[in-house]
Amino acid sequence: MPQFLVEWFEHPAGCRLSWPQHVRQWAFQPNVHLVRYEDFNRDSLSAFRDIVSNLNIQHVDEELLTMCVDKFSFQRQTNRKAGQEDASSNKRKGIVGDWRNYFSGEAAEIFEHYTKGLLVELGYESEKEWVKDLHHEANN
């Protein structure tokens, strides 16, 4: 993972910007509505309603929203419950925070080096000490 991250940040494939450059270029602009997987995972229908509301769509049938959420749910798309893994699928586990199981302390340090606080700015981590916390989790 550490070697992949260095390559990914230093030589972005198919893009002239690295991931942190790309995210910083648009994420903090006015009228940008961030959509987070965590919000959909917690309450898919509310997250979808929020998107529709942000698009200034005046009326959307609640039944239609519910049907869309159900059709594109993790379980419907994969025939698996959240937390069940299929290594051959590009849809991993359908749970929040699973990345922590794959990031070593070294990978976290590299990620933070290249992103310089971006996870905190985006609200994915509450403090810049997340790298130290990940080191601690990995050692327990």
Side-chain angles (χ1 to χ4, degrees), residues 8 10 12 14 19 23 31 57 64 71 87 108 125-126 128 134:
W8 186 59
E10 291 188 0
W19 180 80
V23 170
N31 300 319
I57 297 173
L64 178 61
K71 180 176 181 171
E125 292 295 334
S126 59
K128 291 186 179 189
L134 195 64

Side-chain angles (χ1 to χ4, degrees), residues 10-131:
E10 291 188 0
H11 307 287
C15 184
R16 62 182 171 81
L17 300 174
S18 69
W19 180 80
Q21 291 169 325
H22 173 76
V23 170
R24 282 196 168 96
Q25 185 177 50
W26 63 263
F28 304 108
Q29 299 298 316
N31 300 319
V32 169
H33 182 73
L34 293 178
V35 178
R36 300 174 191 274
Y37 177 75
E38 291 79 359
D39 298 335
F40 272 93
N41 195 282
R42 183 177 42 259
D43 185 347
S44 301
L45 190 55
S46 290
F48 196 39
R49 273 192 211 112
D50 189 43
I51 291 170
V52 170
S53 172
N54 197 273
L55 293 171
N56 294 321
I57 297 173
Q58 299 305 313
H59 177 73
V60 176
D61 184 273
E62 189 72 15
E63 187 176 340
L64 178 61
L65 289 176
T66 302
M67 286 172 36
C68 289
V69 165
D70 180 58
K71 180 176 181 171
F72 295 103
S73 70
F74 179 81
Q75 188 165 350
R76 179 69 64 106
Q77 293 289 304
T78 63
N79 292 317
R80 291 183 277 132
K81 291 184 179 181
Q84 293 178 330
E85 186 173 17
D86 176 357
S88 66
S89 175
N90 66 342
K91 294 174 180 69
R92 295 182 356 201
K93 291 184 186 175
I95 58 176
V96 171
D98 192 43
W99 65 272
R100 288 180 168 274
N101 295 320
Y102 300 91
F103 256 55
S104 64
E106 181 185 6
E109 287 174 7
I110 290 168
F111 193 91
E112 180 61 22
H113 169 76
Y114 284 98
T115 63
K116 296 178 180 37
L118 189 54
L119 290 184
V120 174
E121 291 174 54
L122 292 168
Y124 286 104
E125 292 295 334
S126 59
E127 56 187 37
K128 291 186 179 189
E129 303 300 315
W130 73 270
V131 174

